[in-house]
Amino acid sequence: MTKVLLIARRELGAYLRSPAGYIIASLMLLLDGILFYLDPFRLGRGALGRGAKLSSDVLEGFFFNASGVTMLACVLFSMRLLAEERQTGTIVLLYTSPVSEREVVLGKYLSALALFAVMTLLTVYMPALIFVNGKVSIGHILSGYLGLLLLGSATLSIGLFASSLTRIQVLAAILATAMVALMLLLWVIGQATDEPFSEVLASLALHNRRFLPFQKGIVEVANVGYYLAVSYVFLLATSKVLESRRWR
Amino acid sequence: MIVADRLTKFYGERPAIQDLSFTIEKGQVVGLLGLNGAGKSTALRILSCLLLPTSGRVTIDGDDVVTRAHEIRRRVGYLPEVPPLYPEMTVQGYLTFVARLKGLSAKSAAERVAEVLGAMSIADVAADPIGTLSLGYRQRVGLAQAIVHRPALLILDEPILGLDPVQIVDMRQRIRALRGEHTILISSHILSEISQTCDRIFVLHQGKIVAQGTEDELSARFASQARVVVEARMSEAELTKAVGTVAGATVRSTKAGAEGTVEVVVESERDVREELSRAIVGAGGGLMCLRPAEVELESIFVKLTRAREAA
């Protein structure tokens, strides 16, 4: 575990010493803010604007919008994790050190998750405004944030897997986006198929059925398990990709 | 001790190394010499547990690099062609990170980093980000990361690549200073680097060892023709004429010697030193020196690789 934390700490340092980390974090916070106040998609859930709205609707709208920003930010946070190491040749240091591939993957993943978690928690002032000025429960807020963290965890692991496949960061981001998009659209594909495929595909989709309960303040063990399983599968796949490099 | 037995690695259909077998004793400094693409880096990557061999076996102190990679990595220091440096980290931060990654405790890492900062003369840039350092400094940081955990085996892949002449001399001295502390494997396509630093040399060509031994052994083995340096006080024409009287002797090169003498390199199929001395003295020349010529490593290398290509 020491080596996992060692790698995670170095990665966090790399994020904090590079402009890319700040740019992505700023972009994430800016988008979250814009979507919270202005409701550009006209879902009727913006914090500003005319007409009476239920506090819980506004909070749901915030978590819905934040989930999109979360997926975008996590793809961008994760694209450099392994691709950059391969591009600059520093991965050789990890490969020739007494560190397992799983420790490398876990260290990288935890650093991105920690950074993403801090960035996500910086948005807490928006739900806090609803909490102070309206009627929402703490449980609803916590449920939404848990959903965002789990969705972020799954997206980061998908992004980390994409980052292990190439040495070009932009290509890693494109690959991750394609994989996330495919997993998002599984429920749409499911609607075009019959039972039991429609049910299976809908339950595998990354967002729709899995995230919506969180944004409504409902925490279901199955949904928590789903996101943890997606994270685990992609982290495992990433470590297998790293292991396979020794054969090439 | 390193024992390689019929070590082979294919990249797709192309063999990078084929049936490499060798033994390296503890404490030796061994050079892998070869042209680009000869298989040097592949062999070193297998030894550093970076790559798996396609077939064959290699053990380091009895541990197999395939099955005991984790244990071996603790005892191996590796400097690849491009040092694995994180440009945003400070030199001290980076070396501490590497030391901890290699398994040193926080206290041991701090002590050891202070030692290597001094040994590699990089203490003055310890707080600087690596990205701001010159190439020479970066290479020294690269060497420092390879030795920071006191590895028994040190693997250096083209350690002077891209350095200027002053930096090359400096790096060579630093590698020589490590002699005794580690078993060292160095690859290079620069012959002078190998000959001046190593106890033994393996010459690789197209993935195979085509010769091995000390520089002197290689010289003796491949000096198929006797070459003699003759220095005499007489004109160049007279000296050439005198050499020509000895059956089978041919002048290969001529140059002006010290204090008005002439120096020629004579080549023949047999030892003709006695006949040469008689011929020169008989022609009225003053024989100043007559000695066997050293066969330079460059000529051995060219001879070996050309012979292989011809075969």
Side-chain angles (χ1 to χ4, degrees):
Chain A
M1 198 59 190
T2 313
K3 285 176 183 167
V4 171
L5 295 178
L6 200 65
I7 292 167
R9 201 169 61 187
R10 198 214 70 76
E11 279 302 324
L12 267 177
Y15 275 125
L16 298 177
R17 288 191 203 101
S18 77
Y22 290 102
I23 290 169
I24 298 167
S26 306
L27 186 71
M28 178 183 163
L29 293 174
L30 181 69
L31 278 175
D32 272 335
I34 289 172
L35 294 172
F36 175 67
Y37 288 109
L38 302 181
D39 190 22
F41 302 121
R42 301 193 179 284
L43 298 173
R45 292 162 167 176
L48 298 181
R50 292 173 187 171
K53 289 161 232 167
L54 289 172
S55 306
S56 60
D57 281 350
V58 177
L59 188 61
E60 269 189 57
F62 165 74
F63 284 125
F64 179 79
N65 291 330
S67 67
V69 176
T70 289
M71 287 186 280
L72 174 68
C74 287
V75 164
L76 297 176
F77 273 135
S78 59
M79 68 182 182
R80 56 165 287 279
L81 285 171
L82 286 163
E84 189 181 42
E85 295 257 15
R86 287 186 60 202
Q87 191 179 31
T88 57
T90 48
I91 195 123
V92 167
L93 178 65
L94 300 175
Y95 279 146
T96 55
S97 296
V99 186
S100 70
E101 285 79 2
R102 286 185 185 196
E103 286 174 313
V104 172
V105 170
L106 203 55
K108 299 260 175 194
Y109 162 77
L110 286 180
S111 69
L113 187 64
L115 189 66
F116 163 70
V118 170
M119 290 300 112
T120 301
L121 290 179
L122 286 178
T123 66
V124 81
Y125 72 94
M126 288 179 268
L129 282 173
I130 304 170
F131 182 75
V132 171
N133 297 305
K135 278 187 176 179
V136 290
S137 70
I138 291 280
H140 190 171
I141 295 173
L142 290 177
S143 161
Y145 273 108
L146 177 64
L148 287 180
L149 288 177
L150 288 168
L151 178 65
S153 162
T155 313
L156 282 173
S157 62
I158 294 169
L160 186 56
F161 174 66
S163 186
S164 71
L165 299 175
T166 174
R167 63 182 65 212
I168 303 163
Q169 292 186 47
V170 175
L171 188 56
I174 293 169
L175 278 172
T177 305
M179 284 189 267
V180 170
L182 181 69
M183 289 196 68
L184 280 175
L185 293 173
L186 282 179
W187 72 275
V188 179
I189 301 167
Q191 284 180 331
T193 58
D194 296 325
E195 289 283 349
F197 299 110
S198 59
E199 185 60 24
V200 171
L201 289 172
S203 63
L204 286 175
L206 192 64
H207 193 278
N208 193 270
R209 182 184 286 187
R210 298 299 182 182
F211 185 76
L212 294 185
F214 285 109
Q215 80 178 41
K216 288 178 180 166
I218 304 162
V219 177
E220 292 174 9
V221 176
N223 295 334
V224 174
Y226 165 80
Y227 283 121
L228 293 178
V230 171
S231 303
Y232 177 77
V233 166
F234 279 96
L235 292 179
L236 187 66
T238 308
S239 72
K240 294 295 173 194
V241 170
L242 294 191
E243 279 174 31
S244 73
R245 298 258 171 239
R246 281 189 78 201
W247 286 104
R248 295 178 192 180
Chain B
M1 188 169 80
I2 304 167
V3 181
D5 180 28
R6 299 176 64 81
L7 202 59
T8 300
K9 177 71 183 178
F10 277 79
Y11 293 126
E13 297 292 309
R14 187 179 64 83
I17 53 172
Q18 274 186 297
D19 292 329
L20 289 193
S21 296
F22 56 83
T23 303
I24 297 170
E25 298 295 335
K26 195 175 177 181
Q28 281 190 329
V29 181
V30 174
L32 290 187
L33 180 65
L35 300 171
N36 290 331
K40 310 180 296 290
S41 293
T42 300
L44 294 186
R45 281 179 194 155
I46 291 172
L47 286 166
S48 57
C49 303
L50 193 58
L51 275 180
L52 292 172
T54 307
S55 65
R57 188 164 186 259
V58 59
T59 59
I60 299 174
D61 293 334
D63 287 332
D64 191 297
V65 295
V66 176
T67 56
R68 302 269 297 166
H70 201 73
E71 288 70 24
I72 289 175
R73 284 172 183 154
R74 292 179 198 280
R75 307 198 297 266
V76 174
Y78 178 54
L79 175 63
E81 277 180 55
V82 180
L85 308 174
Y86 294 106
E88 77 281 357
M89 294 182 89
T90 64
V91 172
Q92 183 150 19
Y94 169 73
L95 291 175
T96 306
F97 168 70
V98 176
R100 299 280 284 125
L101 202 61
K102 300 283 184 179
L104 268 61
S105 67
K107 189 175 173 231
S108 306
E111 288 168 4
R112 186 63 187 145
V113 167
E115 277 176 34
V116 293
L117 283 172
M120 291 295 128
S121 307
I122 47 176
D124 55 327
V125 294
D128 293 358
I130 292 170
T132 64
L133 301 181
S134 68
L135 187 66
Y137 266 111
R138 284 188 203 194
Q139 200 70 4
R140 275 189 262 164
V141 175
L143 187 56
Q145 66 81 28
I147 61 168
V148 73
H149 57 302
R150 294 186 196 278
L153 172 63
L154 182 59
I155 296 174
L156 310 173
D157 194 357
E158 305 268 7
I160 64 166
L161 196 70
L163 299 181
D164 66 33
V166 176
Q167 292 167 337
I168 287 173
V169 171
D170 176 72
M171 184 55 76
R172 211 179 267 151
Q173 284 170 348
R174 288 180 194 284
I175 294 169
R176 267 196 223 120
L178 295 170
R179 182 189 287 268
E181 290 181 52
H182 319 267
T183 303
I184 304 177
L185 258 169
I186 311 175
S187 80
S188 181
H189 60 277
I190 300 168
L191 308 179
S192 56
E193 180 190 347
I194 293 286
S195 64
Q196 291 174 29
T197 315
C198 300
D199 302 322
R200 282 174 72 204
I201 297 165
F202 294 133
V203 184
L204 261 71
H205 187 58
Q206 295 178 344
K208 293 180 176 174
I209 294 177
V210 291
Q212 60 175 296
T214 63
E215 187 182 359
D216 289 343
E217 286 169 356
L218 290 174
S219 301
R221 181 175 158 196
F222 292 97
S224 59
Q225 290 177 313
R227 286 160 68 97
V228 178
V229 177
V230 180
E231 188 182 350
R233 194 182 297 283
M234 61 200 302
S235 71
E236 187 182 323
E238 287 170 339
L239 181 56
T240 306
K241 190 179 172 186
V243 171
T245 62
V246 177
T250 315
V251 173
R252 280 291 164 217
S253 63
T254 310
K255 68 174 183 181
E259 298 171 3
T261 61
V262 177
E263 189 178 296
V264 295
V265 175
V266 177
E267 209 169 78
S268 63
E269 293 294 334
R270 58 193 174 84
D271 190 351
V272 291
R273 282 177 291 177
E274 203 176 329
E275 290 168 70
L276 275 176
S277 62
R278 273 204 296 269
I280 292 165
V281 172
L287 183 59
M288 310 297 287
C289 174
L290 198 151
R291 60 182 165 81
E294 289 172 10
V295 181
E296 291 177 352
L297 202 54
E298 275 82 354
S299 62
I300 296 169
F301 186 64
V302 170
K303 197 179 278 185
L304 275 169
T305 51
R306 279 188 186 158
R308 282 273 162 172
E309 275 160 14

